[in-house]
Amino acid sequence: MSHDHDDRPQLTAAQAEAALNPPPGRNGGDLVVETLQGLGATTVFGLPGQHALGMFDALRRSSLAYIGLRVENNAGFAADAYGRITGEVAPLLLSTGPGALTSLAALQEAAAASAPVLAISSQIPTAGLGGGRHGYLHELRDQKASFRDIVKSVHTVRTASQIPSAIAAAWESALTAPHGPVWVEIPQDVLLAETVLPVVSALDATPRELYPRPELTLAAAQLLSNAERPVIIAGGGVVRSDATGKLRALAEKIDAPVVSTFGGKGAFPWEHPLSLRSWLEDRYTTDFLESADVLLVVGSGLGELSSNYHTFAPRGRVIQIEADAGKLESNHPALGIHSDAREALSDLLEAVEPREDDTAAERVRALLEKVHERIASQDLTLEQQVLASVREALPDSSPSFWDMTILAYWAWSAFDARHPNTMHSAQGAGGLGYGFPAALGAAAADPTKPVLAVSGDGGAMYSIAELATARQYDLPVTWLIVDDGGYGILREYMTGAFGEATATELSRPDFVALAESFGVPGVLTSPESLSADLAKALAAPGPSVVVLPALLKMFEPTHL
C-alpha cells in the first residue's frame, strides 16, 4: 500500500533552522507553548502555581496572549466561553492539587455544554508519582482520577518528548464531535528540565468527521417526507456544529415547526413563521410536541429541561441526531443517528421530499398565542419589562452570558437571541458563578464587541475577584447584577415546597462602590432606567457594572 506524503506538514526554512539549531535556555514548558502555537492557539487562560511555573515562564518566550484570572474555576468558565464563541480549543493552564481541583465545576459545565477546553495541569515531580505518600505540596494519590469522570479524555506525560504528542492528541479529542473538555498532566521536573529537542513546528490534530450512516439518513428522510405533523427540536448541537442554516432550510422544505432548546438558543430564527421559540417549560408546548407524528431531535439529549422535567412523552416516531453516542435514545426510543448535526442535516436536506403544510404556521401562531395568554394571566409585568429592556439595550450581534438566576430562567424561554451562538448560560451543569468570567472569556475572543453578563447577587459573589481581571485586561464586559438579597430561585423553590425558605437570605456589599474600588465604573439603576443605563454601559469602552435592585418572580410553567 502506498502512502501520499504530500499532505503532511512541511517545514519552512525558518522552522528547519530552529529545529536544527534550537535556541538555548528552553525547557519542557517551552515545548508546551510551542505545541499550542503549532496547533493554532493564540490565547490561553489560567492561574500559575508552584509546580506549573515552567509553563508560565515559557509564555514569556511565546506569542501567546495570556488572560490570568483570580480563581481557577473562573479561568475554566472563561476558557469555556472562548471555546463556545470561537469553536476553537481554549487552553487552560493549571497548577497541581488544589489549583487543578478548583477548576472541576467549570470543566463539568464545559462537558455538559460541549465546549472545547484543553486543561493542562502540572503534577508533582516524577519521583513522587505512583500513588504513594511522598509529602509533596499539593500531592494527590491519583490526580487524574479526579478528572476522568468529567472530561472527554485524560492524557499523561512523563518525559519531555511525550509533550507534543499528548497535547496534540488532547486537542484532537476536544474538537472531535461532540466537542468537550480534555485534560493533560505534566510533572514539575519535566516542565523545568532543559531540553535540546527541536523546536515544535506545526502539528496535525485534525479531528475526524462524524458522518451519518446512509441507510439511517434514508430511513429518516422517508419518515419526514411522509409525515403529517412533523416537528423539529433544535438543541445546542445545531449551534455548536454551525448548522443553523441547514436546519432552517430543512424546516422550510418540509414545513416543520421548530422549537429551540435552552442550550440551542439562536438555532432557529425567533420571528420565523415556523418558530415555536423556546417555551419548553410550558404544557401547551409539550402537548404540541407530543402530538407530532414524526419528531426530529437534533443535537439534544432531551434531558431534564428540554423535556419539561421528564414529563414529555412523545406519541409519534422520534428521530434523534446526536454526536454523543451515550445520549442516543437515552431518554426516548428513537431512530438514533450518531452524527455531527451539520453533516446529518446536510444529508437529510438532500434526501427529503418537499412537503407543503398550509396549517403549520397557523398552528405555531395559535400555540404562541396560548402561551402568551397564560403568561399575561399572571402578574409578571416587571419581569417582562426587565427582559425587554435587556434585549433593547444589547446590540444584536453581542454575546450574552447568563448565570443561574431568575432573569436567566426567563431568558431561556422568552429571550430572542437574534443570532446563533450569542446567548450562553450555565444550564448544562447548572453551577453558580458562570456569567461574568464566561463573558470575560468571550471578550478576550473578540474585544471588538461589547459583551453582557447577567448574575443575581448570590451568583455575583462567586466572581467578584474577576473585576480585577476585567480591569487589568480592559475587557469590554458589562455586568448586570440583579440584586434581590439572596438566592432568589432557591427562595422560590423552598417557599413552594416547604412554605418558607431557609439559608437563602444574604448579606451583600454595595456592588457599585465595590466595582468602583476595582476601578470599574458602576451605576445603580431601576426598571425604568435599565435600558438606557445598560445601553450607555455597553457603548462605553472597558468593563462596567450595572446593579438593578429588583425582586423578580418566575412564571408558573404549566397549566392544569
Side-chain angles (χ1 to χ4, degrees), residues 117-139:
V117 175
L118 167 56
I120 304 177
S121 158
S122 57
Q123 179 53 295
I124 62 171
T126 313
L129 297 173
R133 273 282 180 256
H134 300 274
Y136 284 103
L137 189 72
H138 307 329
E139 182 180 355

Side-chain angles (χ1 to χ4, degrees), residues 477-493:
V477 174
T478 293
W479 191 9
L480 172 61
I481 300 174
V482 182
D483 184 356
D484 66 4
Y487 299 121
I489 196 71
L490 298 179
R491 181 192 287 140
E492 281 213 8
Y493 286 163

Side-chain angles (χ1 to χ4, degrees), residues 88-101:
E88 299 165 4
V89 174
L92 171 65
L93 306 186
L94 301 167
S95 188
T96 317
L101 295 177

Side-chain angles (χ1 to χ4, degrees), residues 10 19 50 121 139 190 214 247 301 314 318 359 377-378 428 446 449 546:
Q10 303 296 315
Q50 177 182 316
S121 158
E139 182 180 355
V190 176
L247 177 79
V318 178
T359 70
S377 71
Q378 303 171 35
D446 182 2
K449 291 177 186 168
V546 177

Side-chain angles (χ1 to χ4, degrees), residues 380-526:
L380 299 166
T381 308
L382 171 64
E383 290 75 5
Q384 294 177 82
Q385 176 192 349
V386 168
L387 196 63
S389 295
V390 174
R391 179 63 281 177
E392 185 181 4
L394 184 67
D396 285 2
S397 62
S398 276
S400 58
F401 291 84
W402 303 71
D403 214 333
M404 299 295 282
T405 185
I406 287 178
L407 191 58
Y409 284 43
W410 268 92
W412 292 346
S413 292
F415 193 77
D416 175 6
R418 294 202 180 148
H419 287 282
N421 206 28
T422 55
M423 180 183 166
H424 301 275
S425 71
Q427 55 91 205
L432 272 178
Y434 176 80
F436 186 54
L440 297 178
D446 182 2
T448 66
K449 291 177 186 168
V451 182
L452 175 68
V454 180
S455 301
D457 58 290
M461 292 303 292
Y462 279 63
S463 317
I464 289 296
E466 305 311 338
L467 283 166
T469 303
R471 182 73 283 159
Q472 181 168 345
Y473 298 98
D474 200 31
L475 294 167
V477 174
T478 293
W479 191 9
L480 172 61
I481 300 174
V482 182
D483 184 356
D484 66 4
Y487 299 121
I489 196 71
L490 298 179
R491 181 192 287 140
E492 281 213 8
Y493 286 163
M494 290 192 81
T495 304
F498 309 115
E500 59 182 297
T502 305
T504 59
E505 305 315 299
L506 300 172
S507 172
R508 66 265 188 220
D510 177 337
F511 286 108
V512 172
L514 185 58
E516 289 176 343
S517 75
F518 283 92
V520 174
V523 61
L524 190 66
T525 191
S526 66

Side-chain angles (χ1 to χ4, degrees), residues 36-37 39-44 63-66 82 86 88-89 91 171 444-445:
L36 291 174
Q37 288 174 282
L39 288 164
T42 56
T43 304
V44 299
S63 62
L64 294 171
Y66 170 66
Y82 185 97
T86 63
E88 299 165 4
V89 174
W171 185 282

Side-chain angles (χ1 to χ4, degrees), residues 353-373:
E353 297 294 329
R355 62 177 295 281
E356 290 185 15
D357 184 349
D358 298 336
T359 70
E362 174 55 34
R363 285 186 289 123
V364 168
R365 192 194 61 75
L367 170 69
L368 292 176
E369 203 170 274
K370 283 198 285 188
V371 174
H372 294 150
E373 284 172 2

Side-chain angles (χ1 to χ4, degrees), residues 84-164:
R84 293 193 204 193
I85 288 289
T86 63
E88 299 165 4
V89 174
L92 171 65
L93 306 186
L94 301 167
S95 188
T96 317
L101 295 177
T102 302
S103 73
L104 282 171
L107 293 176
Q108 184 190 0
E109 177 57 42
S114 299
V117 175
L118 167 56
I120 304 177
S121 158
S122 57
Q123 179 53 295
I124 62 171
T126 313
L129 297 173
R133 273 282 180 256
H134 300 274
Y136 284 103
L137 189 72
H138 307 329
E139 182 180 355
L140 292 165
R141 280 177 296 176
D142 186 0
Q143 181 173 265
K144 60 183 178 292
S146 298
F147 292 82
R148 192 172 276 125
D149 180 48
I150 292 171
V151 297
K152 280 186 71 179
S153 57
V154 166
H155 308 259
T156 55
V157 168
R158 294 296 177 257
T159 65
S161 62
Q162 295 174 1
I163 289 173

